[in-house]
Amino acid sequence: MINFSLVDVKSITSNEPRSNFAEADLENLADIIIETGGIIRPLVLKVTGVESYTVVDGHFEYYAAVRAREKNPRQGEMVNACVIAPKVEDLVVKQVVSLKGIDSSTKQVTPQPETTKLEPRLANLELRLEKQFNEFKSEFIQERQRIDSQLKQLENLIPQKGEQSNPLSLLNSLDKDELSIKLQRSRIRGAEKLAKDIFDARRKKPKQEFEDYRDVVKSVKNFGDKTILTIIDEWSRSY
């Protein structure tokens, strides 16, 4: 099974050295990624751990995305990716090798009458793939907007009985140990490490506090949308 999703660049690694690619080319594509808001062709990734991935295909695009994030952390934070399940990993790798073989042959072999017949079919395939990628990208954007809208609705629904009882205020005020205990009570996985990550990210803020819930998600490593929604729901019940 292949899942298309937005993945945080900092949670991805590549086994191919960055030195294999010209820095000028990476710099050029990084600028384009920032201007357009993402990469057109999703990376192909496999899962290596909890919210950690490695590149199967798209190493050049990955390093360009890393450079884009270095230049503009907010614009280059997320990338489109096809995340493959372990049971179909071998098949996907074969598909990648096969597609690269077709691409290589069309570049190196002088076109003959038979190759000429193949070119329209390859062009149509490329157009179909590009259309699918654009559709997936549109779906990702809509999903992100839906989650942001849901966060705003939850913020509006939270009763305002005092600053200290507001989940965001708690995230901004509790120390590391208090956060760990409260996350454990909310049955959040990896509560102790997450508490440390929240505490460390908060201290790096100019005012040492998060602006809103979306700021928490963007600032804390391995902090997903589902986790913040769970925290808002669980901590709001204590009113």
Side-chain angles (χ1 to χ4, degrees), residues 7-23:
V7 178
D8 194 328
V9 175
K10 65 184 178 182
S11 67
I12 306 171
T13 58
S14 170
N15 294 326
E16 187 166 335
R18 180 169 176 166
S19 58
N20 286 359
F21 308 103
E23 284 297 326

Side-chain angles (χ1 to χ4, degrees), residues 1-2 84-93:
M1 182 178 180
I2 301 176
I84 60 178
K87 62 182 180 181
V88 297
E89 180 181 333
D90 291 341
L91 293 174
V92 172
V93 171

Side-chain angles (χ1 to χ4, degrees), residues 35-84:
E35 291 177 8
T36 58
I39 56 177
I40 295 177
R41 187 173 70 175
L43 305 178
V44 179
L45 307 176
K46 68 176 180 179
V47 179
T48 56
V50 179
E51 294 190 27
S52 62
Y53 312 87
T54 188
V55 179
V56 174
D57 186 46
H59 300 276
F60 175 69
E61 290 87 346
Y62 161 68
Y63 283 117
V66 170
R67 181 59 185 139
R69 190 177 188 279
E70 292 171 352
K71 300 180 73 172
N72 191 322
R74 288 192 176 275
Q75 284 290 102
E77 182 178 25
M78 311 296 286
V79 290
N80 302 326
C82 307
V83 181
I84 60 178

Side-chain angles (χ1 to χ4, degrees), residues 164-229:
Q164 294 305 315
S165 57
N166 183 295
L168 182 60
S169 296
L170 293 174
L171 290 170
N172 279 329
S173 60
L174 296 179
D175 63 28
K176 185 165 52 179
D177 293 334
E178 291 171 333
L179 280 169
S180 178
I181 293 172
K182 198 160 186 65
L183 289 170
Q184 289 175 15
R185 290 176 178 173
S186 301
R187 300 180 296 281
I188 302 297
R189 293 176 58 184
E192 185 174 350
K193 183 178 183 305
L194 183 57
K196 181 180 182 302
D197 291 340
I198 293 173
F199 184 76
D200 291 342
R202 190 178 73 200
R203 290 195 301 175
K204 294 178 182 178
K205 292 293 177 180
K207 296 182 179 180
Q208 294 196 354
E209 64 179 25
F210 303 109
E211 296 178 4
D212 51 35
Y213 295 113
R214 284 166 292 175
D215 186 28
V216 179
V217 175
K218 290 181 179 179
S219 303
V220 181
K221 183 179 180 181
N222 297 329
F223 200 106
D225 297 316
K226 292 183 179 179
T227 303
I228 190 62
L229 292 175

Side-chain angles (χ1 to χ4, degrees), residues 142-158 160 166-168 171 211-218 223-233 236:
Q142 291 177 8
E143 179 65 13
R144 173 63 65 178
Q145 291 174 342
R146 185 190 66 79
I147 292 172
D148 286 346
S149 175
Q150 189 174 1
L151 282 173
K152 288 181 180 179
Q153 291 176 5
L154 283 171
E155 289 177 9
N156 293 332
L157 288 173
I158 295 173
Q160 302 299 317
N166 183 295
L168 182 60
L171 290 170
E211 296 178 4
D212 51 35
Y213 295 113
R214 284 166 292 175
D215 186 28
V216 179
V217 175
K218 290 181 179 179
F223 200 106
D225 297 316
K226 292 183 179 179
T227 303
I228 190 62
L229 292 175
T230 300
I231 288 175
I232 293 173
D233 182 55
S236 297

Side-chain angles (χ1 to χ4, degrees), residues 79-109:
V79 290
N80 302 326
C82 307
V83 181
I84 60 178
K87 62 182 180 181
V88 297
E89 180 181 333
D90 291 341
L91 293 174
V92 172
V93 171
K94 288 179 181 179
Q95 183 180 152
V96 169
V97 173
S98 177
L99 289 173
K100 284 186 175 181
I102 292 175
D103 183 60
S104 176
S105 65
T106 56
K107 289 180 180 178
Q108 298 176 7
V109 179

